[in-house]
Amino acid sequence: MAGAGMAIAVLTSGGDAQGMNAAVRAVTRMGIYVGAKVFLIYEGYEGLVEGGDNIKQANWLSVSNIIQLGGTVIGSARCKAFTTRAGRLRAARNLVEHGITNLCVIGGDGSLTGADIFRSEWAGLLEELVRDGQISEEVARKNCHLNIVGLVGSIDNDFCGTDMTIGTDSALHRIMEVVDAITTTAQSHQRTFVLEVMGRHCGYLALVSGLASGADWLFIPESPPEDGWEDLMCERLGETRSRGSRLNIIIIAEGAIDRSGKPISSNYVKDLVVQRLGFDTRVTVLGHVQRGGTPSAFDRVLSSKMGMEAVMALLEATPDTPACVVSHSGNQSVRLPLMECVQVTKDVQKAMDEKRFDEAIQLRGRSFENNWNIYKLLAHQKPAQEKSPFSMAILNVGAPAAGMNAAVRSAVRIGICQGHTIYVVNDGFEGLAKGQVREVGWHDVAGWLGRGGSMLGTKRTLPKTCMEKIVENVRKFNIQGLLVIGGFEAYEGVLQLVEARGQYEELCIVMCVIPATISNNVPGTDFSLGSDTAVNAAMESCDRIKQSASGTKRRVFIVETMGGYCGYLSTVTGIAVGADAAYVYEDPFTIHDLKANVEHLTDKMKTDIQRGLVLRNEKCHEHYTTEFLYNLYSSEGKGIFDCRINVLGHLQQGGAPTPFDRNYGTKLGVKAVLWMSEKLQQVYSKGRVFANSGDTACVIGLRKKVVAFSPVTELKKVTDFEHRLPQEQWWLNLRLMLKMLANYQISLTEYISGQMEHVTRRTLSIEKGF
């Protein structure tokens, strides 16, 4: 009860963003968990100024069943009164009346700046209230310090200091749904579509959706097109059509400008295409559709992590602690000085106003700059300066995973830019053994970005079953680089090839693995391609399952997820849907734990929330099967609740890739081929490639926020091959968060120690990562 005696208030301000409700839920439950009183402030700063019924104490159930809702259930409003000292004086009076000295603000930079001003004036506001006789000196002494923590809720991702803001990923989901739908009708009628997305001052949404859709042309405010862009754009659009493409997609941020600062409108672009090229052209303005709908899994988990970290920041705050903002860095929540981040955000706008556009892109952070550079590389074919002597083969191995095709596309195109001969292989290692190898060009992979599964075909066959034939075809096609995109079999297969180098000189080539599996069980990376799409698919199914119970009270659903022995999919889906429990192999459980969970659900049936959801990873326990859990829960809950089983199965592998997986696959494909090109140059001598060192066969992966290349021979030492798992997995600390938010009895000390084991709290430089 470290927070006993504390009072924490949470409000949402400014424009709404999907995921705000998950943040409100996390702050509320974490606050209650540590023993604090938690208050919900309705209608943002307006409710803070007006007081009365706008400030209500919350209990555990106040925030039940809101994690899947878009917008903000506690409301948000623009408030002119709070911009005046008189308004802030009323707000201070309302907080003091409830004994609130800790405020969590979820909003954009304007809302967070307002909170910091409020904090800096706090002592003076209390003095004025005492002087006016509205509060006593004793009350003023008790409430002498106001602690502020901010969470950034903005779909534009325009706040410097965090990789992602709450709502951005969900907005990208809405945009990509529209792009995918538009693509089908555009192909049918050979149309050009001009798609306008939000982003008055920040082009992040336009940039990432352009990268994730393979848009033909892109307008963002941070990098206006060069003078004469009209001629170049029309020339490229015409060239694309002449090569057989049946559609063109142009994406434009609403704040797009030219080099002189003059706005570029979507209608101007449309008229230009019609007049110059005569193409059938349509404009689609997405508008507030991007703010709507249910939050993505990423936003639900991000908001939950940030909300819990916000309460920890308030617990640890002292009168000398500056107001902080909880930011997202890689897979960690970190705290940064609030006004420092606000200042850098303002510096970006200043650079744009002063037409220092290159600097504006750099100030946006490494991620933004990387996205922009990769888009320019892949959008239009640029002839290689000279033909390289190298040839590479690309293949998919293991089960299909969303994002594989995006990785193949970007790898093919960047390889061609480098002047290499690029082959693709059908049906994995088995196809390589059978000689199913063909050379591909730039346009052969057009339209692959949004396709689910594997366009190349994929099989689980490992090289050791057909090593001789693989070696024969490597020699026949003179393959000097092998890019393998797949799951654990891809990693294991490359390891087998490396270990066979001593026997077959032909295998002394450069090899790289891009992890792609819904299980997220490949060592050397925190995230595998396809796992984000799978989590969203499982989450959407669980949302529907929960909804089906709203008309049937006292029901518990037991849902089985895929993942082999890896519990990542169950754990992250469990957090995203607010599950009561998620059983996984890595977190051993006994019959006593099952009994405690049944008792928890029994108690839950006495509340207004008369339903439960339990997730079970398919291989979490040899004996406690899904059928066993169903029988146990049904027997113990007899007369209190009934049970149903749902096995999600292969729906978790299907569907179009999420924006994250499209973007991630595109980046990994580019970075993998650039790394392979560099290695090929290093090991090329006397007209041949000879690569026999460990660092010439690696797994590429995102570790925290850095792209790392880990030799497969080194990863072998930290791999559990029996269970097909890395020996250490970063996401296990999320288990504690899942249990705390589900009302499990887990101590705060255990939570903090678990967090500290995986995350070092520190102030990071204000820089967006990969």
Side-chain angles (χ1 to χ4, degrees):
M1 305 298 285
M6 283 180 67
I8 299 171
V10 57
L11 64 86
T12 52
S13 176
D16 65 306
Q18 308 97 315
M20 281 183 164
N21 289 325
V24 169
R25 172 181 178 268
V27 171
T28 302
R29 291 196 166 178
M30 184 66 171
I32 293 170
Y33 196 92
V34 301
K37 288 182 180 178
V38 180
F39 293 86
L40 302 178
I41 299 176
Y42 291 80
E43 310 306 335
Y45 283 124
E46 189 175 296
L48 186 59
V49 172
E50 294 298 324
D53 288 341
N54 289 310
I55 303 177
K56 295 179 182 176
Q57 187 171 347
N59 59 39
W60 193 269
L61 296 178
S62 300
V63 290
S64 287
N65 206 33
I66 67 169
I67 195 170
Q68 76 277 12
L69 302 178
T72 165
V73 295
I74 58 174
S76 180
R78 311 283 181 186
C79 181
K80 288 185 179 179
F82 193 75
T83 62
T84 67
R85 185 174 173 87
R88 292 192 290 274
L89 189 69
R90 290 170 62 192
R93 173 77 181 85
N94 290 327
L95 287 183
V96 169
E97 197 173 86
H98 292 88
I100 299 168
T101 55
N102 298 278
L103 188 61
C104 178
V105 178
I106 307 167
D109 59 342
S111 302
L112 301 183
T113 301
D116 192 68
I117 293 169
F118 188 39
R119 180 182 183 274
S120 65
E121 292 180 349
W122 184 256
L125 294 172
L126 293 193
E127 282 179 21
E128 196 171 330
L129 289 171
V130 171
R131 199 165 53 245
D132 294 347
Q134 294 189 52
I135 63 172
S136 66
E137 288 189 10
E138 184 184 350
V139 169
R141 274 196 305 275
K142 278 184 181 177
N143 301 277
C144 59
H145 297 292
L146 178 67
N147 297 316
I148 296 283
V149 64
L151 303 181
V152 190
S154 165
I155 68 166
D156 293 334
N157 200 27
D158 56 355
F159 191 83
C160 293
T162 184
D163 290 352
M164 289 286 273
T165 55
I166 294 169
T168 303
D169 188 67
S170 300
L172 286 170
H173 274 252
R174 300 295 92 76
I175 294 169
M176 294 317 302
E177 286 165 9
V178 171
V179 169
D180 288 348
I182 277 175
T183 298
T184 57
T185 186
Q187 284 176 327
S188 301
H189 296 276
Q190 297 194 57
R191 280 184 178 145
T192 295
F193 270 90
V194 181
L195 189 73
E196 183 181 308
V197 302
M198 282 185 167
R200 195 169 302 144
H201 305 294
C202 179
Y204 185 87
L205 289 178
L207 174 54
V208 175
S209 53
L211 190 62
S213 63
D216 295 280
W217 198 269
L218 180 63
F219 295 93
I220 58 172
E222 290 86 351
S223 184
E226 299 291 342
D227 294 339
W229 61 268
E230 292 94 338
D231 297 331
L232 183 58
M233 183 187 77
C234 291
E235 182 186 324
R236 284 188 177 164
L237 294 179
E239 184 187 333
T240 305
R241 284 292 179 94
S242 68
R243 286 183 173 165
S245 175
R246 294 179 60 85
L247 80 157
N248 299 111
I249 300 287
I250 300 168
I251 294 181
I252 180 169
E254 61 179 333
I257 54 174
D258 64 18
R259 286 275 156 181
S260 61
K262 180 185 173 186
I264 298 174
S265 72
S266 49
N267 282 318
Y268 175 74
V269 174
K270 173 206 166 187
D271 293 342
L272 189 69
V273 175
V274 172
Q275 290 163 14
R276 299 265 188 107
L277 299 170
F279 291 169
D280 186 2
T281 307
R282 299 285 190 273
V283 171
T284 300
V285 180
L286 264 65
H288 283 74
V289 165
Q290 295 156 91
R291 290 193 187 278
T294 185
S296 66
F298 183 94
D299 272 327
R300 298 188 198 188
V301 176
L302 172 72
S303 302
S304 299
K305 286 168 72 174
M306 283 183 165
M308 294 183 75
E309 184 67 21
V311 174
M312 295 303 299
L314 291 172
L315 274 178
E316 296 169 12
T318 68
D320 300 323
T321 305
C324 76
V325 60
V326 176
S327 298
H328 178 64
S329 176
N331 55 28
Q332 307 172 23
S333 293
V334 295
R335 307 171 199 167
L336 296 172
L338 171 58
M339 293 316 294
E340 209 174 298
C341 296
V342 169
Q343 186 55 52
V344 178
T345 304
K346 289 179 177 176
D347 289 345
V348 178
Q349 188 58 49
K350 186 180 178 185
M352 289 164 61
D353 293 341
E354 295 173 358
K355 298 182 174 57
R356 293 181 282 117
F357 297 114
D358 289 343
E359 189 179 335
I361 283 183
Q362 289 173 358
L363 286 169
R364 283 280 182 222
R366 277 188 304 138
S367 177
F368 193 97
E369 191 174 6
N370 282 345
N371 285 333
W372 180 233
N373 290 335
I374 290 173
Y375 173 76
K376 289 188 292 184
L377 271 175
L378 300 179
H380 305 287
Q381 184 174 4
K382 302 163 193 67
Q385 293 180 344
E386 59 181 40
K387 182 69 177 171
S388 94
F390 306 124
S391 56
M392 292 183 187
I394 303 169
L395 61 156
N396 295 160
V397 175
M404 278 182 164
N405 297 321
V408 172
R409 170 188 175 271
S410 64
V412 166
R413 290 194 166 183
I414 196 67
I416 291 170
C417 288
Q418 297 279 305
H420 306 322
T421 300
I422 304 296
Y423 297 108
V424 293
V425 182
N426 296 111
D427 299 334
F429 289 122
E430 187 176 315
L432 183 56
K434 291 178 179 177
Q436 296 172 205
V437 181
R438 59 189 168 92
E439 187 177 348
V440 287
W442 184 275
H443 298 285
D444 292 325
V445 291
W448 283 30
L449 260 169
R451 302 288 292 270
S454 167
M455 298 288 286
L456 295 180
T458 179
K459 290 195 174 180
R460 296 179 183 272
T461 309
L462 289 172
K464 64 182 180 183
T465 62
C466 48
M467 190 69 76
E468 295 280 353
K469 291 183 178 178
I470 286 175
V471 171
E472 183 184 323
N473 282 311
V474 168
R475 182 171 56 247
K476 176 182 174 182
F477 291 96
N478 192 29
I479 294 168
Q480 296 146 319
L482 195 63
L483 178 60
V484 185
I485 303 166
F488 199 87
E489 291 92 349
Y491 156 66
E492 198 172 359
V494 168
L495 185 58
Q496 288 177 9
L497 294 178
V498 170
E499 290 174 342
R501 278 175 170 175
Q503 190 176 352
Y504 303 101
E505 194 176 297
E506 291 86 349
L507 297 178
C508 291
I509 59 175
V510 175
M511 293 179 261
C512 186
V513 178
I514 294 180
T517 167
I518 69 168
S519 303
N520 198 28
N521 64 332
V522 179
T525 186
D526 291 344
F527 298 101
S528 296
L529 268 180
S531 58
D532 184 70
T533 304
V535 168
N536 277 278
M539 177 197 77
E540 289 164 9
S541 297
C542 289
D543 281 349
R544 291 189 179 97
I545 288 166
K546 283 171 65 180
Q547 191 178 50
S548 75
S550 58
T552 311
K553 300 296 184 183
R554 302 182 185 279
R555 178 162 288 174
V556 173
F557 287 94
I558 298 169
V559 178
E560 181 185 302
T561 66
M562 295 175 82
Y565 284 99
C566 182
Y568 176 84
L569 192 53
S570 286
T571 298
V572 179
T573 303
I575 294 169
V577 299
D580 295 283
Y583 301 119
V584 300
Y585 168 77
E586 296 92 339
D587 190 2
F589 57 97
T590 66
I591 194 68
H592 301 292
D593 298 310
L594 297 177
K595 181 174 180 289
N597 293 343
V598 171
E599 289 169 355
H600 159 68
L601 287 166
T602 302
D603 290 339
K604 191 177 180 183
M605 297 302 155
K606 297 173 185 174
T607 70
D608 293 337
I609 312 298
Q610 296 182 348
R611 64 167 178 260
L613 180 66
V614 175
L615 299 183
R616 179 189 175 275
N617 170 247
E618 59 183 347
K619 292 188 177 179
C620 67
H621 199 284
E622 183 182 359
H623 303 296
Y624 299 152
T625 62
T626 303
E627 192 70 29
F628 176 91
L629 292 185
Y630 168 74
N631 291 331
L632 174 69
Y633 274 68
S634 296
S635 177
E636 294 296 316
K638 198 168 186 180
I640 304 169
F641 58 80
D642 62 352
C643 282
R644 294 291 186 275
I645 288 178
N646 289 86
V647 178
L648 299 184
H650 284 76
L651 71 83
Q652 295 156 91
Q653 284 184 344
T658 59
F660 178 92
D661 277 329
R662 298 184 199 201
N663 193 12
Y664 188 38
T666 299
K667 287 180 175 180
L668 289 185
V670 168
K671 288 178 182 288
V673 171
L674 291 177
W675 175 83
M676 290 175 72
S677 300
E678 186 182 328
K679 287 292 178 188
L680 284 167
Q681 291 285 356
Q682 291 172 8
V683 299
Y684 185 66
S685 178
K686 297 178 182 178
R688 56 170 292 191
V689 166
F690 186 75
N692 66 345
S693 60
D695 65 351
T696 56
C698 289
V699 171
I700 180 178
L702 185 60
R703 306 185 83 161
K704 293 187 178 174
K705 61 185 293 182
V706 177
V707 178
F709 289 88
S710 309
V712 291
T713 50
E714 293 295 317
L715 292 175
K716 182 181 179 181
K717 302 170 189 173
V718 293
T719 304
D720 174 359
F721 284 95
E722 182 187 351
H723 299 101
R724 298 159 58 88
L725 291 172
Q727 289 175 4
E728 288 189 11
Q729 300 184 86
W730 69 271
W731 56 266
L732 284 172
N733 68 311
L734 296 179
R735 301 280 309 160
L736 302 171
M737 182 169 78
L738 169 70
K739 293 175 182 179
M740 290 185 78
L741 292 179
N743 203 11
Y744 279 60
Q745 293 306 306
I746 181 172
S747 72
L748 182 61
T749 306
E750 188 179 347
Y751 172 75
I752 295 171
S753 63
Q755 290 290 304
M756 293 300 286
E757 182 182 340
H758 295 274
V759 179
T760 303
R761 287 198 182 91
R762 65 194 189 282
T763 300
L764 298 180
S765 59
I766 301 177
E767 177 180 53
K768 292 188 181 181
F770 176 73

